[in-house]
mmCIF file of all heavy atoms in Angstrom:
data_model
loop_
_atom_site.group_PDB
_atom_site.id
_atom_site.type_symbol
_atom_site.label_atom_id
_atom_site.label_comp_id
_atom_site.label_asym_id
_atom_site.label_seq_id
_atom_site.Cartn_x
_atom_site.Cartn_y
_atom_site.Cartn_z
ATOM 1 N N VAL A 35 3.949 7.346 -6.034
ATOM 2 C CA VAL A 35 2.575 7.585 -5.613
ATOM 3 C C VAL A 35 2.470 7.718 -4.098
ATOM 4 O O VAL A 35 1.866 8.642 -3.585
ATOM 5 C CB VAL A 35 1.645 6.456 -6.116
ATOM 6 C CG1 VAL A 35 0.252 6.617 -5.569
ATOM 7 C CG2 VAL A 35 1.634 6.416 -7.629
ATOM 8 N N SER A 36 3.077 6.767 -3.373
ATOM 9 C CA SER A 36 2.971 6.783 -1.914
ATOM 10 C C SER A 36 4.162 6.085 -1.273
ATOM 11 O O SER A 36 4.636 5.064 -1.777
ATOM 12 C CB SER A 36 1.683 6.085 -1.466
ATOM 13 O OG SER A 36 1.605 6.050 -0.047
ATOM 14 N N ILE A 37 4.614 6.659 -0.144
ATOM 15 C CA ILE A 37 5.621 5.993 0.688
ATOM 16 C C ILE A 37 5.101 5.865 2.122
ATOM 17 O O ILE A 37 5.857 5.587 3.041
ATOM 18 C CB ILE A 37 6.985 6.718 0.652
ATOM 19 C CG1 ILE A 37 6.880 8.136 1.207
ATOM 20 C CG2 ILE A 37 7.571 6.707 -0.739
ATOM 21 C CD1 ILE A 37 8.230 8.790 1.456
ATOM 22 N N GLU A 38 3.798 6.045 2.289
ATOM 23 C CA GLU A 38 3.189 5.994 3.622
ATOM 24 C C GLU A 38 3.442 4.637 4.273
ATOM 25 O O GLU A 38 3.308 3.589 3.635
ATOM 26 C CB GLU A 38 1.685 6.241 3.516
ATOM 27 C CG GLU A 38 1.002 6.350 4.850
ATOM 28 C CD GLU A 38 -0.465 6.753 4.722
ATOM 29 O OE1 GLU A 38 -0.922 7.079 3.610
ATOM 30 O OE2 GLU A 38 -1.146 6.736 5.755
ATOM 31 N N ASN A 39 3.842 4.674 5.547
ATOM 32 C CA ASN A 39 4.096 3.480 6.350
ATOM 33 C C ASN A 39 5.242 2.616 5.816
ATOM 34 O O ASN A 39 5.315 1.426 6.112
ATOM 35 C CB ASN A 39 2.842 2.612 6.483
ATOM 36 C CG ASN A 39 1.672 3.370 7.061
ATOM 37 O OD1 ASN A 39 1.840 4.241 7.893
ATOM 38 N ND2 ASN A 39 0.482 3.053 6.598
ATOM 39 N N SER A 40 6.147 3.190 5.029
ATOM 40 C CA SER A 40 7.261 2.408 4.495
ATOM 41 C C SER A 40 8.474 2.487 5.419
ATOM 42 O O SER A 40 8.656 3.451 6.148
ATOM 43 C CB SER A 40 7.629 2.889 3.087
ATOM 44 O OG SER A 40 7.936 4.267 3.089
ATOM 45 N N ASP A 41 9.296 1.446 5.386
ATOM 46 C CA ASP A 41 10.491 1.354 6.225
ATOM 47 C C ASP A 41 11.724 1.376 5.324
ATOM 48 O O ASP A 41 11.944 0.460 4.542
ATOM 49 C CB ASP A 41 10.440 0.059 7.042
ATOM 50 C CG ASP A 41 11.642 -0.125 7.949
ATOM 51 O OD1 ASP A 41 12.594 0.669 7.878
ATOM 52 O OD2 ASP A 41 11.631 -1.097 8.733
ATOM 53 N N TRP A 42 12.534 2.447 5.445
ATOM 54 C CA TRP A 42 13.731 2.660 4.625
ATOM 55 C C TRP A 42 15.013 2.459 5.431
ATOM 56 O O TRP A 42 16.079 2.927 5.043
ATOM 57 C CB TRP A 42 13.715 4.076 4.059
ATOM 58 C CG TRP A 42 12.550 4.348 3.162
ATOM 59 C CD1 TRP A 42 11.267 4.599 3.536
ATOM 60 C CD2 TRP A 42 12.555 4.381 1.737
ATOM 61 N NE1 TRP A 42 10.472 4.798 2.430
ATOM 62 C CE2 TRP A 42 11.243 4.673 1.318
ATOM 63 C CE3 TRP A 42 13.550 4.204 0.781
ATOM 64 C CZ2 TRP A 42 10.896 4.780 -0.017
ATOM 65 C CZ3 TRP A 42 13.199 4.324 -0.556
ATOM 66 C CH2 TRP A 42 11.889 4.603 -0.943
ATOM 67 N N THR A 43 14.952 1.757 6.534
ATOM 68 C CA THR A 43 16.091 1.582 7.431
ATOM 69 C C THR A 43 17.331 1.101 6.677
ATOM 70 O O THR A 43 17.274 0.139 5.912
ATOM 71 C CB THR A 43 15.742 0.578 8.551
ATOM 72 O OG1 THR A 43 14.598 1.066 9.259
ATOM 73 C CG2 THR A 43 16.897 0.401 9.507
ATOM 74 N N ASP A 44 18.449 1.783 6.919
ATOM 75 C CA ASP A 44 19.762 1.431 6.361
ATOM 76 C C ASP A 44 19.838 1.470 4.833
ATOM 77 O O ASP A 44 20.717 0.849 4.237
ATOM 78 C CB ASP A 44 20.228 0.064 6.870
ATOM 79 C CG ASP A 44 20.448 0.051 8.372
ATOM 80 O OD1 ASP A 44 20.840 1.112 8.917
ATOM 81 O OD2 ASP A 44 20.228 -0.993 9.005
ATOM 82 N N THR A 45 18.914 2.188 4.185
ATOM 83 C CA THR A 45 19.015 2.412 2.745
ATOM 84 C C THR A 45 19.750 3.724 2.528
ATOM 85 O O THR A 45 19.319 4.765 3.012
ATOM 86 C CB THR A 45 17.619 2.468 2.091
ATOM 87 O OG1 THR A 45 17.018 1.185 2.198
ATOM 88 C CG2 THR A 45 17.704 2.852 0.625
ATOM 89 N N GLU A 46 20.876 3.655 1.838
ATOM 90 C CA GLU A 46 21.658 4.856 1.553
ATOM 91 C C GLU A 46 21.042 5.584 0.359
ATOM 92 O O GLU A 46 20.864 4.996 -0.709
ATOM 93 C CB GLU A 46 23.109 4.492 1.242
ATOM 94 C CG GLU A 46 23.861 3.923 2.418
ATOM 95 C CD GLU A 46 24.094 4.949 3.511
ATOM 96 O OE1 GLU A 46 24.281 6.136 3.195
ATOM 97 O OE2 GLU A 46 24.084 4.550 4.684
ATOM 98 N N LEU A 47 20.709 6.844 0.568
ATOM 99 C CA LEU A 47 20.121 7.668 -0.487
ATOM 100 C C LEU A 47 20.988 8.897 -0.719
ATOM 101 O O LEU A 47 21.618 9.393 0.215
ATOM 102 C CB LEU A 47 18.718 8.136 -0.077
ATOM 103 C CG LEU A 47 17.669 7.053 0.140
ATOM 104 C CD1 LEU A 47 16.485 7.615 0.893
ATOM 105 C CD2 LEU A 47 17.233 6.478 -1.193
ATOM 106 N N ARG A 48 21.002 9.385 -1.958
ATOM 107 C CA ARG A 48 21.652 10.665 -2.228
ATOM 108 C C ARG A 48 20.859 11.748 -1.516
ATOM 109 O O ARG A 48 19.676 11.571 -1.220
ATOM 110 C CB ARG A 48 21.673 10.961 -3.731
ATOM 111 C CG ARG A 48 22.537 10.041 -4.540
ATOM 112 C CD ARG A 48 22.688 10.536 -5.998
ATOM 113 N NE ARG A 48 21.513 11.194 -6.519
ATOM 114 C CZ ARG A 48 20.677 10.656 -7.413
ATOM 115 N NH1 ARG A 48 20.879 9.438 -7.870
ATOM 116 N NH2 ARG A 48 19.630 11.332 -7.839
ATOM 117 N N LYS A 49 21.495 12.887 -1.259
ATOM 118 C CA LYS A 49 20.812 13.985 -0.561
ATOM 119 C C LYS A 49 19.558 14.428 -1.299
ATOM 120 O O LYS A 49 18.530 14.685 -0.685
ATOM 121 C CB LYS A 49 21.763 15.173 -0.380
ATOM 122 C CG LYS A 49 22.798 14.957 0.680
ATOM 123 C CD LYS A 49 23.652 16.189 0.849
ATOM 124 C CE LYS A 49 24.736 15.957 1.882
ATOM 125 N NZ LYS A 49 25.563 17.146 2.083
ATOM 126 N N ASP A 50 19.624 14.528 -2.629
ATOM 127 C CA ASP A 50 18.462 14.981 -3.388
ATOM 128 C C ASP A 50 17.325 13.956 -3.323
ATOM 129 O O ASP A 50 16.151 14.321 -3.254
ATOM 130 C CB ASP A 50 18.829 15.304 -4.842
ATOM 131 C CG ASP A 50 19.349 14.099 -5.615
ATOM 132 O OD1 ASP A 50 20.221 13.377 -5.079
ATOM 133 O OD2 ASP A 50 18.900 13.885 -6.759
ATOM 134 N N GLN A 51 17.652 12.672 -3.317
ATOM 135 C CA GLN A 51 16.627 11.633 -3.211
ATOM 136 C C GLN A 51 15.943 11.708 -1.843
ATOM 137 O O GLN A 51 14.724 11.661 -1.744
ATOM 138 C CB GLN A 51 17.250 10.244 -3.383
ATOM 139 C CG GLN A 51 17.790 9.972 -4.753
ATOM 140 C CD GLN A 51 18.654 8.724 -4.771
ATOM 141 O OE1 GLN A 51 19.325 8.393 -3.803
ATOM 142 N NE2 GLN A 51 18.655 8.046 -5.909
ATOM 143 N N ARG A 52 16.770 11.826 -0.787
ATOM 144 C CA ARG A 52 16.228 11.907 0.575
ATOM 145 C C ARG A 52 15.336 13.136 0.724
ATOM 146 O O ARG A 52 14.240 13.067 1.262
ATOM 147 C CB ARG A 52 17.363 11.940 1.592
ATOM 148 C CG ARG A 52 16.891 11.905 3.031
ATOM 149 C CD ARG A 52 18.038 11.865 4.026
ATOM 150 N NE ARG A 52 19.132 10.997 3.657
ATOM 151 C CZ ARG A 52 19.145 9.670 3.784
ATOM 152 N NH1 ARG A 52 18.094 9.067 4.285
ATOM 153 N NH2 ARG A 52 20.190 8.964 3.423
ATOM 154 N N LYS A 53 15.804 14.272 0.208
ATOM 155 C CA LYS A 53 15.035 15.516 0.307
ATOM 156 C C LYS A 53 13.694 15.372 -0.408
ATOM 157 O O LYS A 53 12.653 15.776 0.114
ATOM 158 C CB LYS A 53 15.843 16.670 -0.289
ATOM 159 C CG LYS A 53 15.167 18.009 -0.171
ATOM 160 C CD LYS A 53 16.036 19.116 -0.732
ATOM 161 C CE LYS A 53 15.335 20.456 -0.629
ATOM 162 N NZ LYS A 53 16.147 21.541 -1.191
ATOM 163 N N TYR A 54 13.707 14.771 -1.587
ATOM 164 C CA TYR A 54 12.471 14.581 -2.344
ATOM 165 C C TYR A 54 11.502 13.662 -1.591
ATOM 166 O O TYR A 54 10.319 13.991 -1.423
ATOM 167 C CB TYR A 54 12.764 14.005 -3.734
ATOM 168 C CG TYR A 54 11.506 13.655 -4.482
ATOM 169 C CD1 TYR A 54 10.723 14.657 -5.048
ATOM 170 C CD2 TYR A 54 11.074 12.344 -4.590
ATOM 171 C CE1 TYR A 54 9.542 14.354 -5.709
ATOM 172 C CE2 TYR A 54 9.895 12.029 -5.250
ATOM 173 C CZ TYR A 54 9.136 13.030 -5.807
ATOM 174 O OH TYR A 54 7.973 12.726 -6.451
ATOM 175 N N LEU A 55 11.988 12.525 -1.132
ATOM 176 C CA LEU A 55 11.118 11.582 -0.427
ATOM 177 C C LEU A 55 10.568 12.184 0.860
ATOM 178 O O LEU A 55 9.391 12.006 1.176
ATOM 179 C CB LEU A 55 11.870 10.282 -0.142
ATOM 180 C CG LEU A 55 12.191 9.435 -1.373
ATOM 181 C CD1 LEU A 55 13.123 8.288 -1.008
ATOM 182 C CD2 LEU A 55 10.931 8.916 -2.040
ATOM 183 N N CYS A 56 11.388 12.918 1.586
ATOM 184 C CA CYS A 56 10.935 13.556 2.816
ATOM 185 C C CYS A 56 9.907 14.649 2.555
ATOM 186 O O CYS A 56 9.089 14.956 3.427
ATOM 187 C CB CYS A 56 12.123 14.129 3.593
ATOM 188 S SG CYS A 56 13.180 12.860 4.340
ATOM 189 N N SER A 57 9.923 15.230 1.356
ATOM 190 C CA SER A 57 8.980 16.301 1.029
ATOM 191 C C SER A 57 7.606 15.784 0.609
ATOM 192 O O SER A 57 6.647 16.557 0.522
ATOM 193 C CB SER A 57 9.546 17.176 -0.095
ATOM 194 O OG SER A 57 9.460 16.515 -1.353
#
Side-chain angles (χ1 to χ4, degrees):
V35 174
S36 178
I37 62 168
E38 186 173 353
N39 304 326
S40 57
D41 180 353
W42 298 77
T43 302
D44 296 328
T45 294
E46 293 292 326
L47 297 164
R48 293 189 326 254
K49 286 183 182 181
D50 62 313
Q51 293 167 328
R52 185 177 319 282
K53 183 178 179 181
Y54 174 75
L55 291 171
C56 289
S57 75

